[in-house]
Amino acid sequence: KTLNPVFNETFQFGVPLAELHSRKLHFSIYDFDRFSRHDLIGQVVVDNLLDFSEGTGEKPIWRDIVEGTA
């Protein structure tokens, strides 16, 4: 119930290193309507996952949400 939602979420995916160059993560963000259709707020696509594989530990990746198309 806000025009400026905050998403404080953490995601972890186990992907073999050999497959990182050909993988993308596509996140679609929807609002929740209990009695009608959920509306698409926006989308985020993270590619070049091999660039993020170096190092150890967790490394946050930040992306802006872009307007989605249904």
Side-chain angles (χ1 to χ4, degrees):
K1 296 183 180 181
T2 178
L3 295 177
N4 297 303
V6 175
F7 301 97
N8 187 14
E9 302 288 334
T10 300
F11 300 94
Q12 294 182 356
F13 299 93
V15 179
L17 185 62
E19 296 180 15
L20 283 180
H21 71 281
S22 62
R23 297 288 183 130
K24 292 183 181 183
L25 290 175
H26 186 136
F27 296 93
S28 297
I29 299 97
Y30 290 86
D31 76 338
F32 176 78
D33 294 316
R34 186 175 304 275
F35 300 110
S36 64
R37 184 172 163 236
H38 306 315
D39 297 315
L40 180 64
I41 295 173
Q43 301 174 349
V44 175
V45 177
V46 180
D47 56 0
N48 298 325
L49 297 175
L50 195 57
D51 295 343
F52 303 107
S53 66
E54 295 180 6
T56 59
E58 297 179 8
K59 182 178 182 181
I61 301 170
W62 294 90
R63 296 289 186 270
D64 290 331
I65 297 172
V66 296
E67 185 175 343
T69 55

